[in-house]
Amino acid sequence: MPEFQHFAALPTLVPAAFGLVFLVFAPFIGSDKKWMWAFTTAAMGLTILIPAIILSKIGLYGDVLETAGVAGQYMVRTDRLALWLDILFGIAGLLALLVTPAYLERANSHRPEIYPLFLIAVSGMTAMVGSDHLVMIFVGLEVLSITLYVMCGLARERAVQVEAALKYFLLGAFSTSFLVFGLALILGATGRLDIPGIAGAVLGVGAGTLWNETLLLAGLALFLIAFAFKVGAVPFHFWVPDVYQGAPTPVTAFMAAGTKAAAFGVLLRVLYAGFSGAETIVDRWAPVIAGLAVATMVVGNVLALVQTRVKRLLAYSSVAHAGYLLLALVPATSGAHAGEIVGGPALLFYLFTYTFMTVGAFIVAALFQSDREDADHFAQFAGLWHRRPLLAAAMGVFLLSLTGIPPLGGFTGKYVIFLSVLDAGHPVLAAIMAIAAVIGAAYYLRVLMLMFIAQPEEDLAARLVTPGPARLALAVAVVATFVLGIAPFVLYDPLLTVMRAAAF
Amino acid sequence: MLTYLWLIPLAPLAGFLLVGGLGMAGRLREPWVQRLAVAASAASFVLAVAAIVDFAGGLDDERALAAAQPDRYEVSAAGEPARFEITPLRWMPIGDVTLRGWDGQGVRRAAFGVNWTFALDTLTAVMLLVVTGIGTLIHIYSIGYMAGEQGQHRFFAYLNLFMAMMLTLVLAGNLAVLFVGWEGVGLCSYLLIGYYYRQVFDKESGLTCADAGRKAFITNRIGDFGFLLGMLLLLLSFGTWDFSELAAAINGSSAYWYGSVLLTGIGVLLFFGATGKSAQVPLYVWLPDAMAGPTPVSALIHAATMVTAGVYMLARMSALYWHSPGAMFVVAVVGCLTAVLAATMGMAQYDIKKVLAYSTVSQLGYMMLGAGVGAFVAAIFHLVTHAFFKACLFLGSGSVIARCGHTNDMRLYGGLKRWMPTTYWTFLVSTLAIAGLFPLSGFMSKDEILARTLFSFRGSAVLWLFGTLAAVMTSFYMFRAVYMTFHGENRSPDHVREHLRESPPVMTGVLVVLAIGAAGVGLLGVPEGVSRLVGLGNVNWFEHVLHPVVAARGVVAGSAEAHGGEHGAAPAGEAGHGEHAAAQAGASHGEAAPPGGYLVEGMHHPSVAAEAGLFVLAFVVFLTGFLLARWAYGGPEPRAEALAPRLAYLRRLLHRKWFVDELYDRLVIRPYYAVADFFAAVDQRIVDGAVNLSAATAELSGQVLKLFGTGIVRHYALWFMAGAVLIAWMMMR
């Protein structure tokens, strides 16, 4: 049994503390929003730094830090999986924060409260992935969700945002009820809510010591439904386009990358560590994941084809990418790793590349924000190359990467997932993924063609200014997209060690 | 110095970027274009020499380096032929993602990702010196040749890019990097052939230089298709493209691989690529047309360096070819056929550069013949000597062309000896060399190839006979060119004759250097037979240095005794080979054979009388060609003209190059267009239809699915519930 290592909770405590303090002080320095922004950005930097430091030293503590609990049941579990994802949340938050002031100015909505909310949302995410107790995961999820509801609807005077927030809230509450009920059933079936305990009970399936398998499966089904909603898998995806479209664009970017990563982190941990012990159980949930993945990839890509607005297109593309990510969760059917999720490192790698390219694309979309209703309509992007070549080039990199063109990160990400699916023994799923990706190419390339070939309809150059912080964010995203494509080993090699420590 | 091996190709690459970039922006004036380009090329020469000096000094320091950083450096072990490898860059490696390969014993997994590896061994060192040395000389010559031309930055930038690509090719540590260079030099060749892209180069057909460039590019593409297939088959079979790993894999299970169909297939496919790049039958047709490029380009790319890439590749893959007698036989036959065919064509050309082009094809045929009979060292040696004398001949012809009003037609030359003495003497020395006069370089290398063809277990007397025949023709067409160009009456138009003078020193200086090389470089590799005749023992330094790299290795042991008897004929020969055997630290050389009874490497050792006979025969061959040419073209009234009507048919046949172009037109190009038309129709009707149909299907299903996104939360909750029920059913059924 490890010692109580309280600093294991630091990745959660730091953003939570800063977020709360800033939120409390927001009314007092509210008029001076630059200060608020600067403080928040610095705190977000710290939020990246702390897990990075712990990660570099984690070998000293036997790969796992645990705290807040008794008798072998800990609420906080900080391992490589949690720390890498913590870094990712920080990056997503930081990139989104960098473009937020420019967006708010353009949208004419001055609400500095939004900055500390980013920090609180990050603390929710870190709590979710930094725990192996389902109650803690639930608490983290709620912290995250409630913060996001608020962030989506912060501009009360804009009907579209309020509508988005309300839809998100209603459907979110709906899915939360599934989650809570699922937890209750799991508790009823196993008597435990911590993942090691559940894993022990699942192992008992073969031995006949688990007294009610049906109850456990029902609980797991409800749990999967709730998380399928969170990642936006078909048919639980209907909120995604409406909310992504309505929410402030930096928040959309943050949600698309961060929320997805947190939900997938939990899914990976719970399924890999909790429910992989018994073959009969795996045989039940594996087809569900595979089916969700196929439906999500195909429907997401097909629906993205018929969109005419960039934010909505990116929303459906985010649905499609959730499909690829789900695919990495399908466990192997045969070989040495039968019943195990071999795509773990690929999934994490893809989350990183996805963060950079999709946040980058949303940042570009955010710069188009204006009071006009059709601010992100395709027509606005026509001929961007002739007006703002650098911006068009950056957007081109993100779109090509989302398509999966080498040597960009999106290609490498798809490639490792593809290989892991093949390794897991699912050639049909791999083929479907390839077909879905081809459909995906059509709509990304359509936007690219518009930007580079079409002539601008009207001269919008005057209001397309890219402020310094947004430029920095775009530069970071572009460079990272290239680095992950050309030298993927800088990230993939360390990620290979993640799964080792995530198991129990 | 060795750790900076990657700087060698980088120097001309920087030159290309600087000259091309600044030149295009108009920021670089003409003398600086030339200076920068020459400096970049010279820098790579200096770096290459420095690296080779270090390499020759031993690899002890590098071994320590490699031990410290094993994933970056690799140095061959003490007993192996010296080899140093550096990997400055890894290209897209991904963790433990692996490719599956099959190496004869079972499935093995090799790491995905191509390493950007540069390697140096003696074979590469020789190529490095040839490429950078002769390349730099030709850069210098170009200053004079291109004087007064507009837009030179394009020319010099391409030339520098070519150097970078060629150096990448010879420094490559694996096939992938080699292929980068292989395609890169092809690109530069295309760009430079079409340098005067608007000019018509062939008045008969009205083809422009750009067309000639395209012909070269497309012909090479056909060869590269085979090359790529070979590469992929190799990767599939061995899971690696690394040269040393490949050699180790093949040599390691020698008995398994010997004569295998797979290796023969790979060998023939790779060689098909070489027939494109090195202008062999059936893909040689682009090289004569490549003469549309500026003459320095012809000298550098289409004589000295690029076209020899195929020969270099064969030597590099020697482990594979040793284990595939079938593939080697193909190489030898194709090489011999090319040597003879091209020589006949060369005898009837009036364009001086075409004569030299066919001569190049023919000489490349000799190199292939050498490689095909297992005389890899002799082939590489011929490559080196050929680089000198052919570069000198081309540059000499360039000197003539530039002074004679930019015409290539030898019927408009004549008597130029009077005006251009330096050009004449250097041209003559090189002619004597290529015609094979002892002791000039051409004799040394060609004689060695022919002797090996006759005596090697992989050669045959028939191939030798045809090779000797081609040598007679070589001597004939070269002296024909000399007589038509430099002797007799001048036939130039008056306005040209008035301005006839010697070329500037920047050009003649290069000619002199190359002529000295053409005369003397042969002494590095005096054939064993010749040196024994003069009582020197074996002084073949070239063979001594290069043989360990291309020797047959890992051959099944136990047959040395069985075949010892065949070697007994010439004890002196055994002594000569004994030296190598010692140098190779136990590697089998000529004495071992696989169970099938075939000897992998080795030759019948001829008697002294036979060698003396060959020596004399070589002189007779030279003399025959020379006297024929002198008889036909040497007099004041060339007898060739008088003979012409009687030999009209033969002459037409040779001048039109055996109608090969016409044959290709009927056999390949027209059927190709017919097939292309058919597939175009299929593409437009069926494939496009299918594509449009699937696109429309996707679009339509999108429109239908869009209907579900009503924006009303109640509906969303309904679908949510439907999904939830489905999942619950799947989990609990």
Side-chain angles (χ1 to χ4, degrees):
Chain A
M1 184 192 297
E3 305 275 318
F4 279 74
Q5 290 148 325
H6 293 298
F7 61 92
L10 275 183
T12 306
L13 291 180
V14 166
F18 277 106
L20 287 174
V21 170
F22 291 163
L23 202 57
V24 167
F25 282 99
F28 302 108
I29 54 170
S31 56
D32 198 352
K33 55 185 187 299
K34 279 282 170 208
W35 275 104
M36 191 54 122
W37 175 75
F39 277 137
T40 317
T41 310
M44 195 62 91
L46 201 61
T47 310
I48 302 178
L49 212 56
I50 285 170
I53 292 169
I54 300 178
L55 188 61
S56 65
K57 301 281 178 204
I58 194 159
L60 298 177
Y61 303 99
D63 288 354
V64 178
L65 295 167
E66 290 183 311
T67 191
V70 285
Q73 293 191 38
Y74 293 95
M75 284 291 174
V76 176
R77 173 192 169 92
T78 303
D79 54 16
R80 285 198 171 85
L81 175 63
L83 290 167
W84 276 109
L85 286 171
D86 291 349
I87 292 172
L88 188 148
F89 303 145
I91 291 171
L94 193 62
L95 291 178
L97 267 178
L98 283 175
V99 78
T100 309
Y103 172 83
L104 291 182
E105 199 172 304
R106 239 158 267 195
N108 230 343
S109 121
H110 302 287
R111 291 186 191 279
E113 309 89 283
I114 197 169
Y115 301 126
L117 288 179
F118 273 109
L119 285 172
I120 295 177
V122 167
S123 77
M125 295 173 182
T126 54
M128 275 168 80
V129 301
S131 171
D132 58 0
H133 200 286
L134 290 179
V135 168
M136 188 66 180
I137 290 173
F138 174 72
V139 170
L141 183 63
E142 284 311 293
V143 169
L144 169 65
S145 300
I146 293 166
T147 318
L148 285 177
Y149 303 149
V150 176
M151 288 166 89
C152 286
L154 206 58
R156 289 190 301 271
E157 65 281 356
R158 294 169 80 88
V160 58
Q161 290 201 4
V162 175
E163 188 196 328
L166 194 62
K167 271 184 190 168
Y168 191 21
F169 171 69
L170 286 173
L171 290 169
F174 195 48
S175 81
T176 301
S177 61
F178 277 78
L179 179 58
V180 177
F181 195 42
L183 294 195
L185 293 185
I186 291 172
L187 179 65
T190 63
R192 300 285 287 266
L193 274 175
D194 60 322
I195 296 175
I198 294 169
V202 168
L203 280 177
V205 170
T209 55
L210 183 76
W211 70 270
N212 194 334
E213 196 183 325
T214 317
L215 208 55
L216 181 73
L217 285 173
L220 180 58
L222 295 175
F223 177 88
L224 286 180
I225 291 163
F227 271 88
F229 171 81
K230 285 294 166 199
V231 302
V234 174
F236 311 101
H237 69 287
F238 287 99
W239 63 277
V240 175
D242 289 4
V243 174
Y244 280 23
Q245 171 76 33
T249 315
V251 176
T252 311
F254 178 63
M255 277 165 70
T259 314
K260 192 160 286 167
F264 272 107
V266 170
L267 274 178
L268 180 60
R269 186 189 290 284
V270 170
L271 291 179
Y272 181 80
F275 290 91
S276 292
E279 206 175 313
T280 50
I281 302 286
V282 173
D283 284 348
R284 289 304 173 95
W285 61 260
V288 172
I289 298 284
L292 280 174
V294 169
T296 309
M297 284 187 301
V298 173
V299 173
N301 275 318
V302 167
L303 274 172
L305 265 183
V306 293
Q307 302 307 320
T308 52
R309 311 186 62 141
V310 168
K311 272 173 83 176
R312 235 181 145 71
L313 179 135
L314 287 174
Y316 278 112
S317 123
S318 137
V319 171
H321 283 269
Y324 306 142
L325 289 162
L326 278 169
L327 214 48
L329 280 177
V330 180
T333 50
S334 59
H337 297 286
E340 235 178 86
I341 299 172
V342 292
L347 175 85
L348 293 172
F349 184 84
Y350 201 83
L351 281 173
F352 269 87
T353 58
Y354 179 69
T355 298
F356 286 113
M357 58 203 187
T358 204
V359 172
F362 273 119
I363 287 176
V364 176
L367 294 173
F368 274 82
Q369 181 65 36
S370 71
D371 289 335
R372 299 165 52 148
E373 178 58 27
D374 63 341
D376 66 334
H377 199 271
F378 275 4
Q380 307 291 321
F381 285 77
L384 185 63
W385 170 249
H386 303 290
R387 292 185 271 146
R388 288 276 181 275
L390 278 179
L391 198 60
M395 187 66 168
V397 169
F398 300 137
L399 290 178
L400 285 175
S401 182
L402 285 165
T403 317
I405 305 285
L408 300 169
F411 164 75
T412 326
K414 277 207 181 68
Y415 182 74
V416 288
I417 287 192
F418 192 79
L419 281 185
S420 78
V421 173
L422 283 180
D423 257 3
H426 303 292
V428 177
L429 290 181
I432 295 174
M433 177 185 176
I435 293 170
V438 169
I439 300 176
Y443 55 86
Y444 296 123
L445 295 181
R446 192 178 291 165
V447 179
L448 265 183
M449 247 171 63
L450 261 179
M451 288 198 306
F452 285 86
I453 296 170
Q455 288 297 320
E457 284 181 9
E458 50 180 315
D459 189 32
L460 301 167
R463 62 179 182 80
L464 256 187
V465 249
T466 319
R471 276 183 205 187
L472 178 67
L474 285 177
V476 168
V478 167
V479 169
T481 305
F482 270 106
V483 167
L484 291 181
I486 293 169
F489 54 91
V490 294
L491 182 62
Y492 197 76
D493 285 355
L495 285 182
L496 286 173
T497 61
V498 162
M499 300 312 287
R500 188 185 67 204
F504 294 94
Chain B
M1 200 53 232
L2 280 183
T3 52
Y4 296 103
L5 211 55
W6 47 275
L7 275 176
I8 298 174
L10 214 59
L13 189 69
F16 160 70
L17 292 175
L18 269 178
V19 172
L22 291 178
M24 234 163 50
R27 299 277 173 81
L28 213 56
R29 282 186 300 123
E30 186 183 291
W32 280 103
V33 166
Q34 297 164 346
R35 276 171 221 171
L36 258 179
V38 171
S41 176
S44 68
F45 176 64
V46 171
L47 286 167
V49 170
I52 290 165
V53 166
D54 260 24
F55 182 72
L59 290 170
D60 297 339
D61 296 347
E62 282 72 18
R63 290 213 169 89
L65 203 66
Q69 279 174 284
D71 57 340
R72 221 169 116 73
Y73 303 105
E74 197 184 311
V75 184
S76 54
E80 301 275 301
R83 175 184 173 84
F84 174 75
E85 253 184 45
I86 176 172
T87 306
L89 197 67
R90 294 198 295 155
W91 180 249
M92 285 184 67
I94 304 173
D96 66 346
V97 176
T98 50
L99 291 169
R100 292 169 184 79
W102 184 75
D103 67 349
Q105 275 100 31
V107 174
R108 65 182 225 135
R109 289 162 73 97
F112 173 81
V114 171
N115 285 344
W116 199 267
T117 305
F118 291 130
L120 184 61
D121 58 10
T122 47
L123 177 59
T124 295
V126 167
M127 294 300 289
L128 271 185
L129 288 179
V130 170
V131 173
T132 58
I134 294 192
T136 305
L137 285 176
I138 292 174
H139 270 75
I140 295 170
Y141 174 93
S142 303
I143 295 176
Y145 187 83
M146 297 299 285
E149 296 251 358
Q150 288 296 311
Q152 287 183 25
H153 63 87
R154 204 158 53 89
F155 177 83
F156 279 101
Y158 291 161
L159 222 51
N160 263 336
L161 180 64
F162 168 77
M163 293 284 287
M165 286 304 167
M166 192 68 205
L167 290 169
T168 307
L169 195 159
V170 298
L171 275 170
N174 58 46
L175 259 176
V177 180
L178 183 137
F179 194 66
V180 171
W182 185 272
E183 291 299 302
V185 291
L187 171 73
C188 295
S189 160
Y190 160 77
L191 290 170
L192 283 164
I193 292 170
Y195 179 69
Y196 300 116
Y197 48 92
R198 288 212 184 82
Q199 246 174 44
V200 173
F201 85 96
D202 187 355
K203 292 193 184 65
E204 285 170 39
S205 53
L207 294 175
T208 61
C209 296
D211 290 327
R214 271 196 287 273
K215 184 172 180 182
F217 201 73
I218 293 167
T219 314
N220 266 300
R221 198 83 308 96
I222 296 169
D224 291 346
F225 178 63
F227 193 71
L228 255 183
L229 284 183
M231 277 174 70
L232 295 176
L233 207 52
L234 207 58
L235 188 66
L236 211 61
S237 319
F238 294 92
T240 179
W241 272 335
D242 189 279
F243 290 133
S244 48
E245 283 177 23
L246 275 177
I250 296 174
N251 292 337
S253 349
S254 201
Y256 178 86
W257 285 118
Y258 188 81
S260 84
V261 178
L262 183 71
L263 280 199
T264 303
I266 295 172
V268 170
L269 283 171
L270 290 179
F271 176 65
F272 191 62
T275 60
K277 192 110 298 183
S278 293
Q280 299 296 296
V281 171
L283 295 178
Y284 70 92
V285 289
W286 64 273
L287 186 60
D289 286 344
M291 295 301 126
T295 307
V297 171
S298 310
L300 177 61
I301 301 183
H302 304 122
T305 53
M306 184 192 85
V307 289
T308 60
V311 183
Y312 168 76
M313 188 273 296
L314 290 183
R316 190 41 87 206
M317 302 299 294
S318 58
L320 188 152
Y321 283 96
W322 279 126
H323 285 84
S324 172
M328 275 180 91
F329 182 68
V330 171
V331 174
V333 169
V334 168
C336 185
L337 193 64
T338 308
V340 175
L341 202 65
T344 60
M345 295 174 187
M347 293 195 299
Q349 301 299 317
Y350 290 114
D351 180 329
I352 185 166
K353 283 180 74 179
K354 287 255 166 99
V355 174
L356 295 178
Y358 282 110
S359 157
T360 304
V361 175
S362 169
Q363 300 300 312
L364 287 168
Y366 275 118
M367 295 176 209
M368 289 298 179
L369 175 61
V373 299
F376 287 106
V377 178
I380 294 292
F381 188 47
H382 195 55
L383 186 162
V384 174
T385 61
H386 174 256
F388 276 98
F389 57 68
K390 191 50 68 67
C392 184
L393 288 171
F394 262 116
L395 295 183
S397 78
S399 170
V400 168
I401 291 165
R403 297 299 143 218
C404 286
H406 281 278
T407 177
N408 297 356
D409 196 332
M410 291 195 293
R411 285 168 293 195
L412 298 179
Y413 297 162
L416 294 179
K417 179 180 170 188
R418 184 146 69 89
W419 290 281
M420 311 176 78
T422 317
T423 306
Y424 169 67
W425 285 111
T426 52
F427 199 91
L428 186 66
V429 168
S430 300
T431 300
L432 294 173
I434 189 176
L437 179 67
F438 180 83
L440 302 184
S441 61
F443 167 82
M444 305 291 185
S445 50
K446 204 193 309 180
D447 191 64
E448 176 78 349
I449 288 179
L450 288 176
R452 292 278 176 142
T453 306
L454 187 57
F455 295 125
S456 159
F457 291 136
R458 301 238 169 151
S460 88
V462 179
L463 293 176
W464 172 82
L465 199 66
F466 278 104
T468 308
L469 193 66
V472 177
M473 291 189 270
T474 306
S475 178
F476 173 77
Y477 65 66
M478 281 317 301
F479 280 107
R480 171 176 173 269
V482 169
Y483 278 117
M484 286 186 79
T485 306
F486 292 102
H487 291 266
E489 288 294 307
N490 184 269
R491 302 178 291 274
S492 299
D494 291 342
H495 66 94
V496 170
R497 192 177 308 133
E498 283 162 21
H499 300 291
L500 275 177
R501 62 191 151 80
E502 183 57 280
S503 291
V506 71
M507 288 163 77
T508 51
V510 171
L511 289 179
V512 171
V513 174
L514 285 175
I516 293 170
V521 77
L523 298 176
L524 294 178
V526 181
E528 193 190 326
V530 175
S531 54
R532 275 199 288 134
L533 276 182
V534 282
L536 275 177
N538 191 358
V539 293
N540 194 336
W541 179 81
F542 205 79
E543 168 106 14
H544 178 73
V545 168
L546 222 52
H547 187 266
V549 179
V550 294
R553 273 159 208 291
V555 171
V556 182
S559 49
E561 297 81 11
H563 294 274
E566 294 189 37
H567 295 271
E574 287 294 350
H577 275 259
E579 281 177 30
H580 301 316
Q584 292 160 36
S588 58
H589 166 47
E591 280 82 17
Y598 299 101
L599 279 173
V600 164
E601 186 179 7
M603 51 196 270
H604 306 280
H605 283 280
S607 62
V608 176
E611 276 174 354
L614 273 185
F615 184 79
V616 172
L617 184 68
F619 187 70
V620 170
V621 161
F622 162 80
L623 214 59
T624 314
F626 167 64
L627 290 176
L628 269 174
R630 186 188 157 85
W631 176 77
Y633 293 93
E637 287 274 305
R639 290 188 185 81
E641 298 306 320
L643 270 175
R646 266 187 279 168
L647 292 174
Y649 182 72
L650 182 68
R651 190 182 180 123
R652 193 167 122 81
L653 188 69
L654 293 184
H655 183 66
R656 298 294 295 274
K657 302 159 266 186
W658 297 93
F659 295 96
V660 167
D661 278 353
E662 286 78 359
L663 190 74
Y664 279 11
D665 187 54
R666 298 277 149 72
L667 275 186
V668 181
I669 296 174
R670 287 188 195 181
Y672 178 79
Y673 272 114
V675 170
D677 283 342
F678 171 70
F679 278 116
V682 169
D683 186 53
Q684 278 159 13
R685 305 257 164 78
I686 297 167
V687 177
D688 279 10
V691 168
N692 290 339
L693 185 71
S694 52
T697 311
E699 186 93 19
L700 187 71
S701 44
Q703 297 288 3
V704 170
L705 284 172
K706 207 177 174 183
L707 298 178
F708 291 85
T710 48
I712 298 168
V713 178
R714 287 199 306 276
H715 296 174
Y716 293 179
L718 182 67
W719 294 118
F720 188 119
M721 267 321 286
V725 168
L726 188 67
I727 288 183
W729 175 74
M730 281 176 80
M731 292 282 286
M732 301 171 63
R733 79 198 130 95

